[in-house]
Amino acid sequence: MSIIDFSSAEKYISNLENKGERQKLLSLAESLPYQVINDSPTVKHYTEWSEYDKLNLTIFPSKEEIKKKYELEGYRTIYIQDDFISGGLVSEEPTNSLIKPEEHKLVALTLALSRKIKIDIEKSDKVLIYHRVAERNYFSPANIEINVKDGAITDIVYLAENEIPNSLQTAITSLRVSRDSQANFTLISTSSYIYNYVKVYCEGELNSTIFATKSKMAHIEYTTILDKESKSVFSAKSIGTNDDKIDIRIIVQHQGQKSVSDGNLKGIATDNAFVVIRGDASINETALDSSTSIIGRAFILGKDAKAIVAPMLEVKTGRVMMAKHSASVSRVPEDLIFYLENRGLSRKEAESFLIRGFIEDEKDPEILKKIIEEVLTSSKIIVSV
C-alpha cells in the first residue's frame, strides 16, 4: 500500500495547469524515501511513516462549499477544505520560494497536487488559515507562501482540524520576515493524520508557537534561518492522549552575526501516547556573537505513556554570546503534589493545577489557550479546582 493511490493523483493532475511539472513532482515523490539517515533509507526514529502508507488515500475535485466556518475576531480568514481554497490569492505554480521538492517525499507530493496560496503583508494584518477535511480517505494538500514586507507587523495562525477518519492534511509553508518587521506565527494541529513542513527566513523578529494533539500520526518540521541581528523566540508543545503519536522537530540555523534564538519545548503524554519534541540549533561560522537557548521538559501520566524532549546544539565558532540547552522528563513532581494536598486540594486537583500551569504560557494566543483547555478537560487530564 502507499500514502495515495497514484492513479487517482495522475487523474487529478490532468485537470490542473502545469501538468508536465506536476507529473515530474509526482514521480519524484514516488522515488524518494520518507527519511534518510546515514545515507540509508529507514523508517526508524520517531515518526512511523508506515502509518501514512496504510492510508492509501485518493484526491479528486471537491465540492466548492465550505461546510464549517471558523473565525477569529480581527482576523481575515483563508479557508482550505479538501482541495478548495477560499479567501486567498491563488497561483497555479507548483513551486515554493524557500522549499525544494527534493527536501522530502511529502513535500514533492504536496507540490504536485496543490495550488499555491500567496500572502503578502504590507503593513499590519492578521490572517487565519483554516485547513480541514470534509471527505473520507482524502489527501488534502496546501502550498503556502507568506511574505512580510519591511516594517510590517503581522499575526498569522494556521489551524488544521480534521475529525474525518483516515484522511491526511499536508501543508508546506514558507515565511519571509523582512528587516524591521515583526511576525507572530502560530501553528495548531488537532488532526488525526497530518504532515507540516515550514521554513522561515528571518531578518526581523519572529515569535513562533507550535502545538499538536489528537493525532494518530503527526509530523511537524519547522526550520528558521536567522540573518544578521534577527531574533526568534519559539515555543513547541504537545499533549498526547489515548494512542497519539506526535513528532515535532524545531530547527534553528544561525547564519548572521548577533542573531538570537530562545526556545522552549513542552510535552505531556498520557494513556498510550508517544510524544516527541526535538529542538536543533546550530550557530554557523558566519554567525559571530550570536546566542541560542533551548529548554525542554515533559510530564508523563500513566505507566504506558512515553515522552521525549531532545534539545541539541551545534556551535561552529568560538565567538558566541551564549549557547545552552537542557532537558528533563518526569512524572508530576510528588513534592509539589504533597505541598498542594497539605493546602486542601485532592491529589487529582493538585495534578490538574500543576499540569495547567506547566503547559500553558501567558503569551499563548487566546485560540491556543482555548484549545489546550478543551483537550485537557475532555481527556480528563485536569479537573475543576
Side-chain angles (χ1 to χ4, degrees):
M1 299 181 70
S2 64
I3 192 168
I4 191 168
D5 175 49
F6 278 89
S7 63
S8 161
E10 289 175 336
K11 182 178 180 181
Y12 183 78
I13 286 174
S14 68
N15 295 313
L16 299 176
E17 296 183 15
N18 305 296
K19 297 180 183 61
E21 294 177 60
R22 294 180 184 278
Q23 187 59 56
K24 290 179 182 177
L25 290 167
L26 185 61
S27 297
L28 178 62
E30 286 186 276
S31 65
L32 287 174
Y34 281 105
Q35 191 170 342
V36 176
I37 298 175
N38 297 328
D39 298 322
S40 299
T42 179
V43 293
K44 62 184 289 187
H45 272 267
Y46 302 118
T47 297
E48 294 186 19
W49 302 108
S50 60
E51 293 291 329
Y52 294 135
D53 272 338
K54 293 176 183 177
L55 296 174
N56 196 29
L57 305 169
T58 59
I59 185 170
F60 49 84
S62 63
K63 298 176 182 178
E64 297 184 2
E65 177 187 354
I66 302 299
K67 295 184 178 179
K68 182 177 180 180
K69 299 284 187 178
Y70 197 112
E71 296 181 355
L72 294 177
E73 185 176 353
Y75 289 72
R76 63 184 176 99
T77 306
I78 297 172
Y79 290 98
I80 307 168
Q81 180 180 283
D82 301 332
D83 75 328
F84 179 63
I85 301 168
S86 173
L89 178 64
V90 178
S91 167
E92 298 295 332
E93 300 169 306
T95 59
N96 189 288
S97 61
L98 291 180
I99 301 170
K100 305 303 179 187
E102 297 82 7
E103 294 182 29
H104 195 272
K105 181 184 189 75
L106 292 178
V107 169
L109 186 61
T110 300
L111 287 173
L113 298 174
S114 62
R115 293 174 295 160
K116 179 163 57 179
I117 301 170
K118 301 182 73 173
I119 304 171
D120 289 325
I121 310 294
E122 300 283 352
K123 294 182 180 179
S124 284
D125 201 1
K126 292 183 177 182
V127 182
L128 168 65
I129 304 168
Y130 182 59
H131 188 180
R132 69 183 300 271
V133 181
E135 300 284 354
R136 294 180 64 89
N137 301 106
Y138 195 86
F139 179 76
S140 176
N143 177 12
I144 305 166
E145 274 189 7
I146 305 169
N147 187 14
V148 183
K149 303 292 183 66
D150 287 349
I153 299 175
T154 187
D155 197 328
I156 299 166
V157 176
Y158 169 87
L159 173 59
E161 185 180 70
N162 177 17
E163 299 173 355
I164 304 296
N166 299 333
S167 293
L168 170 68
Q169 291 148 290
T170 66
I172 61 171
T173 305
S174 65
L175 170 61
R176 290 183 181 271
V177 182
S178 300
R179 201 166 299 281
D180 300 321
S181 62
Q182 179 179 324
N184 300 318
F185 183 86
T186 302
L187 187 159
I188 302 172
S189 168
T190 63
S191 296
S192 54
Y193 292 93
I194 192 160
Y195 173 84
N196 271 129
Y197 192 89
V198 183
K199 187 173 286 187
V200 185
Y201 187 84
C202 181
E203 297 176 301
E205 292 188 19
L206 172 67
N207 297 301
S208 304
T209 303
I210 298 93
F211 176 76
T213 190
K214 297 183 179 179
S215 290
K216 295 179 182 178
M217 191 67 252
H219 181 98
I220 298 173
E221 192 160 327
Y222 190 100
T223 300
T224 302
I225 302 167
L226 294 173
D227 206 331
K228 179 181 178 181
E229 297 179 351
S230 59
K231 183 178 181 181
S232 169
V233 177
F234 62 89
S235 173
K237 59 182 77 178
S238 177
I239 301 173
T241 63
N242 299 316
D243 296 314
D244 287 351
K245 297 174 185 175
I246 298 168
D247 182 12
I248 300 175
R249 186 184 181 196
I250 310 298
I251 302 168
V252 182
Q253 299 174 357
H254 291 257
Q255 293 187 354
Q257 297 182 20
K258 298 182 179 180
S259 53
V260 177
S261 66
D262 186 6
N264 283 284
L265 318 175
K266 295 183 180 182
I268 293 175
T270 187
D271 302 319
N272 297 306
F274 183 36
V275 171
V276 180
I277 308 180
R278 296 175 281 167
D280 301 336
S282 63
I283 300 179
N284 296 343
E285 297 92 336
T286 55
L288 304 177
D289 301 319
S290 295
S291 67
T292 184
S293 171
I294 305 179
I295 308 298
R297 192 178 177 193
F299 280 160
I300 296 175
L301 307 174
K303 63 179 182 178
D304 296 320
K306 296 179 182 179
I308 295 172
V309 288
M312 298 179 64
L313 301 182
E314 183 179 15
V315 180
K316 300 178 182 179
T317 174
R319 282 181 53 183
V320 294
M321 298 300 291
M322 179 181 66
K324 69 176 183 178
H325 69 295
S326 67
S328 68
V329 178
S330 65
R331 306 285 175 180
V332 179
E334 287 294 333
D335 57 337
L336 294 179
I337 292 175
F338 178 75
Y339 175 85
L340 292 172
E341 284 180 326
N342 282 340
R343 275 147 183 80
L345 299 182
S346 68
R347 181 180 180 87
K348 186 62 178 178
E349 288 172 339
E351 287 183 344
S352 300
F353 186 86
L354 293 171
I355 290 167
R356 182 188 281 111
F358 165 69
I359 200 68
E360 293 181 354
D361 292 312
E362 184 179 348
K363 294 182 179 180
D364 283 345
E366 288 302 318
I367 180 177
L368 179 55
K369 291 180 181 179
K370 179 181 177 182
I371 289 172
I372 288 175
E373 188 72 18
E374 289 173 353
V375 174
L376 292 175
T377 302
S378 64
S379 58
K380 298 182 180 179
I381 296 175
I382 64 171
V383 296
S384 298
V385 177

